[in-house]
């Protein structure tokens, strides 16, 4: 049976939603502090992607009937 390749956003979406929010903030701060002004757009992409995955995780939890933590 072949392995299913998953994207990093799928992996983040499988985690609890608050982990995705935290990872987005950490990635944003890390890229902004390490890359300077040139990497600023990439920091926003990381933040938005992680928060989008967190939103998916939150909605999956709501649909399953699991109360949000």
């Amino acid at each position: 049976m072949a392995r299913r390749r998953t994207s990093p956003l799928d992996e983040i979406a499988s985690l609890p939603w608050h982990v995705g929010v935290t990872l987005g903030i950490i990635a944003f701060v890390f890229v902004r502090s390490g890359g300077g002004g040139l990497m600023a757009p990439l920091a926003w992409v990381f933040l938005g992607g992680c928060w989008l995955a967190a939103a998916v995780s939150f909605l999956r939890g709501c649909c399953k009937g699991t109360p949000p933590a």
Side-chain angles (χ1 to χ4, degrees), residues 1 4-6 12-14 16 20-22 27 29 34 43 47 50-51 53-58 61 63-64 66 68:
M1 193 165 161
R4 183 176 157 227
R5 295 180 68 181
T6 58
I12 295 170
S14 68
V21 170
T22 305
V29 169
L47 181 66
C50 287
W51 283 11
V56 169
S57 175
F58 179 81
C63 290
K64 288 182 181 178
T66 308

Side-chain angles (χ1 to χ4, degrees), residues 3-66:
R3 283 194 228 174
R4 183 176 157 227
R5 295 180 68 181
T6 58
S7 71
L9 291 179
D10 289 333
E11 295 295 328
I12 295 170
S14 68
L15 298 171
W17 67 269
H18 48 82
V19 175
V21 170
T22 305
L23 283 175
I25 293 170
I26 290 170
F28 179 81
V29 169
F30 181 74
V31 172
R32 287 289 295 198
S33 66
L38 187 61
M39 301 290 278
L42 185 61
W44 286 106
V45 170
F46 282 147
L47 181 66
C50 287
W51 283 11
L52 178 66
V56 169
S57 175
F58 179 81
L59 293 174
R60 283 183 186 165
C62 288
C63 290
K64 288 182 181 178
T66 308

